[in-house]
Amino acid sequence: MHFMKKTITASFEGFNVVDSTGFYKGKAEHSKIVTIIIDENELEKVVKLAQFYAAEFQQGSVMMIKQPIVQWDFIEPKKVVTAE
C-alpha cells in the first residue's frame, strides 16, 4: 500500500490494482496486476515505475503489456423516472 501511495498515486490520475496469483517456473507466487490507461507520451513514466518496482521488491523483471485502446468510457447510472 505504501508503494502505491508513494509512486503510482503520485504519478497517475487513475489506475486499478488487482491481487493475483502468478506462476514462474511452475511455482505459484503472489502478484499484483496494475492497469493504467495512459497517453503514448506517458509510456516512459510507466517504464520507470516498473523498473523502480522491480528494484524495490527484488524482482528479476516486471511484465508490462502495451495494448491500444479502441474506446473507453465512464458509464453513469441510468436515471429512473418515476410517475407521480
Side-chain angles (χ1 to χ4, degrees):
M1 188 67 101
H2 178 69
F3 176 85
M4 185 170 38
K5 285 183 180 178
K6 184 174 81 172
T7 58
I8 305 174
T9 303
S11 300
F12 299 98
E13 194 172 295
F15 58 92
N16 190 26
V17 178
V18 178
D19 289 320
S20 176
T21 300
F23 288 83
Y24 181 69
K25 295 186 177 181
K27 292 186 177 180
E29 58 185 22
H30 296 289
S31 63
K32 301 278 187 189
I33 299 171
V34 180
T35 303
I36 308 170
I37 298 174
I38 60 165
D39 291 326
E40 188 73 23
N41 62 343
E42 294 182 290
L43 186 58
E44 187 59 32
K45 282 189 349 184
V46 175
V47 171
K48 287 182 180 180
L49 174 67
Q51 290 170 332
F52 183 71
Y53 185 94
E56 185 81 7
F57 296 100
Q58 295 84 43
Q59 299 294 304
S61 63
V62 172
M63 182 189 304
M64 183 179 87
I65 299 170
K66 179 182 167 187
Q67 181 174 342
I69 305 293
V70 176
Q71 178 180 338
W72 66 285
D73 294 300
F74 290 101
I75 309 299
E76 296 179 6
K78 183 178 180 180
K79 297 185 180 181
V80 178
V81 179
T82 57
E84 294 192 34

